[in-house]
Amino acid sequence: METDARAARAGWSRRRFVGAAAGTAVVVAVPAPAAPPAERAPAARERPAARPPRRDDRRRPLLLGTYTSAEGGGSGIGLASYDPATGAVTGAGTLARVPDPSYLAAHPDGRTVYAVDERPDGAVSAVRLADRRVLGGRSTGGAGPCHLSVHPSGRWLLSADYGSGSVAVHPIDATGALGERTDLVTHTSPPPGPGRQGPHAHQVVTAPDGGHVLAVDLGTDTVYTYRLDQAKGTLTEVARARTRPGAGPRHLTFHPDGRHAYLANEVDDTVTVCGYDPATGRLTIGAPQPTGSGGGTNYPAQILVTANGAYAFLANRGDNSIARYAVEEGGAALRLLGTVPAGGDFPRQIAFSPDGRLLFAANQRSGTVTVFRVDPDTGELRAAGEPFASPVAVCALPL
């Protein structure tokens, strides 16, 4: 498969689609492991009072995104679980018939997960976790959606269409299902960057203030800020921030203080520190900084910041590493501390476990998910167990 940057130069289509179609959800179950042999009972006089069998409450759900239309890809959303203490991952089947679910996001209440259907006729789907039922899909009105996020209120789903350079809004009802699209904005200006044949919206995320939505567009080298009308679900543009030409911004994440953000630039292999004004939604993009890739061919993918705001991590595709930064000057500076091997080929996406003690990396080309323990004091990453095999792993969502 081509890299995102090469596909951007070739045209709107980032991926090779083979006509995967949506349908009824099918769960392919993996048999539960056999129970361990019972221990020999003690002598009668030593036998304790009967107790109910213990249940292992440590394991947590892990959902995996893939491309169902890619050669060797998956058949839908991968189902797994992980041990928060050890990071060990165990497979649990597949939620099939969800086409090209390349990015996943959870509702704040934890009951529903949303997936992009990254196809030319873009759509988004809702899945109820309790019974793994697909609640239906809705058209995004654009092509090739590659990212989505849920507004903190839980009432709106935001999605970014890479192929058409557009951003869509869908309402979420009380059951977690999606309603008809309430807005669609398409990036028509500024003109696309050098060698790119159109806008390519790559991410859409709500700022910590809750009132502004930021869309990162790789094709126009621009981050757009919109004001979200939380009653109507409509977007009004209020600001633009341009990177240097050819940077190819891909992914942005906010510092917990809500006044700084960090931007990964895919095409020119850099990261930048940004200032953010919550009152106006205006983003100010700083000078480019190194990704730790050493100058070889590399496409930065996703950047994360720890909950305490002390460290940041960047996935490097090509260099196949995860860069670690110290966050300094109250969020206004990043200092590169070094890199660690990603443990797989082409780490497309990274994610923290809810407690922040584990970091998951989805490695697209090797078809694996690697897990790292995160030291809360030093930010150091240490591999946790063996890589977990997952076909064309492009997204890992630990719950």
Side-chain angles (χ1 to χ4, degrees), residues 25 27 63 77 79 95-98 101 104-107 109-117 124-137 175-178 399:
V27 176
L63 304 182
I77 298 174
L79 304 174
L95 181 64
R97 312 301 295 174
V98 181
L104 310 170
H107 192 281
D109 66 13
R111 296 184 298 177
T112 311
V113 165
Y114 302 92
V116 299
D117 306 343
V124 285
S125 296
V127 178
R128 187 167 62 201
L129 291 177
D131 56 3
R132 298 173 179 174
R133 178 186 173 188
V134 178
L135 301 178
T175 70
L178 299 172
L399 300 174

Side-chain angles (χ1 to χ4, degrees), residues 268-291:
D268 74 354
D269 188 21
T270 64
V271 64
T272 54
V273 178
C274 307
Y276 177 73
D277 182 357
T280 64
R282 186 172 297 278
L283 192 75
T284 303
I285 299 176
Q289 299 184 39
T291 63

Side-chain angles (χ1 to χ4, degrees), residues 23-52:
T24 304
V26 178
V27 176
V28 182
V30 172
E39 296 181 359
R40 186 174 59 186
R45 65 178 180 275
E46 298 174 351
R47 182 174 298 158
R51 295 179 181 176

Side-chain angles (χ1 to χ4, degrees), residues 23-384:
T24 304
V26 178
V27 176
V28 182
V30 172
E39 296 181 359
R40 186 174 59 186
R45 65 178 180 275
E46 298 174 351
R47 182 174 298 158
R51 295 179 181 176
R54 289 185 177 180
R55 183 168 61 91
D56 187 353
D57 292 321
R58 294 179 304 172
R59 302 202 69 82
R60 299 288 302 163
L62 175 67
L63 304 182
L64 304 167
T66 185
Y67 284 110
T68 59
S69 62
E71 182 178 354
S75 57
I77 298 174
L79 304 174
S81 65
Y82 69 96
D83 186 327
T86 67
V89 177
T90 301
T94 303
L95 181 64
R97 312 301 295 174
V98 181
D100 290 310
S102 64
Y103 202 88
L104 310 170
H107 192 281
D109 66 13
R111 296 184 298 177
T112 311
V113 165
Y114 302 92
V116 299
D117 306 343
E118 192 175 332
R119 301 169 295 163
D121 53 339
V124 285
S125 296
V127 178
R128 187 167 62 201
L129 291 177
D131 56 3
R132 298 173 179 174
R133 178 186 173 188
V134 178
L135 301 178
R138 298 285 184 176
S139 169
T140 64
C146 65
H147 185 271
L148 47 66
S149 60
V150 183
H151 187 269
S153 68
R155 295 181 56 200
W156 307 103
L157 181 71
L158 310 163
S159 57
D161 294 307
Y162 183 91
S164 53
S166 52
V167 175
V169 184
H170 288 83
I172 300 173
D173 69 20
T175 70
L178 299 172
E180 289 292 343
R181 187 177 65 249
T182 56
D183 206 358
L184 177 69
V185 295
T186 301
H187 303 153
T188 57
S189 65
R196 287 168 235 162
Q197 299 175 0
H200 298 301
H202 216 306
Q203 182 200 28
V204 58
V205 63
T206 304
D209 58 73
H212 293 104
V213 169
L214 284 80
V216 180
D217 195 300
L218 181 149
T220 63
D221 292 323
T222 302
V223 180
Y224 302 81
T225 300
Y226 297 95
R227 182 176 293 110
L228 173 67
D229 186 322
Q230 297 185 45
K232 300 178 180 179
T234 55
L235 299 171
T236 302
E237 185 179 329
V238 296
R240 295 180 186 180
R242 297 208 67 183
T243 66
R244 66 178 183 175
R250 176 187 176 96
H251 187 270
L252 178 142
T253 192
F254 278 91
H255 187 274
D257 70 359
R259 294 185 175 277
H260 298 92
Y262 311 102
L263 184 63
N265 299 307
E266 173 179 337
V267 178
D268 74 354
D269 188 21
T270 64
V271 64
T272 54
V273 178
C274 307
Y276 177 73
D277 182 357
T280 64
R282 186 172 297 278
L283 192 75
T284 303
I285 299 176
Q289 299 184 39
T291 63
S293 63
T297 301
N298 185 59
Y299 306 99
Q302 186 161 14
I303 188 166
L304 300 177
V305 180
T306 56
N308 64 4
Y311 297 97
F313 302 96
L314 176 69
N316 283 319
R317 298 169 300 163
D319 189 64
N320 291 341
S321 66
I322 298 174
R324 181 171 62 103
Y325 298 86
V327 179
E328 299 177 335
E329 298 178 23
L334 292 177
R335 178 167 56 89
L336 181 64
L337 298 175
T339 64
V340 298
D345 189 0
F346 224 59
R348 165 75 174 269
Q349 178 259 0
I350 54 177
F352 289 128
S353 59
D355 63 9
R357 293 184 177 275
L358 295 175
L359 183 147
F360 294 77
N363 304 298
Q364 181 174 353
R365 291 180 177 170
S366 58
T368 57
V369 175
T370 46
V371 188
F372 298 86
R373 293 187 183 90
V374 183
D375 188 306
D377 298 320
T378 66
E380 291 184 359
L381 298 178
R382 293 185 174 85

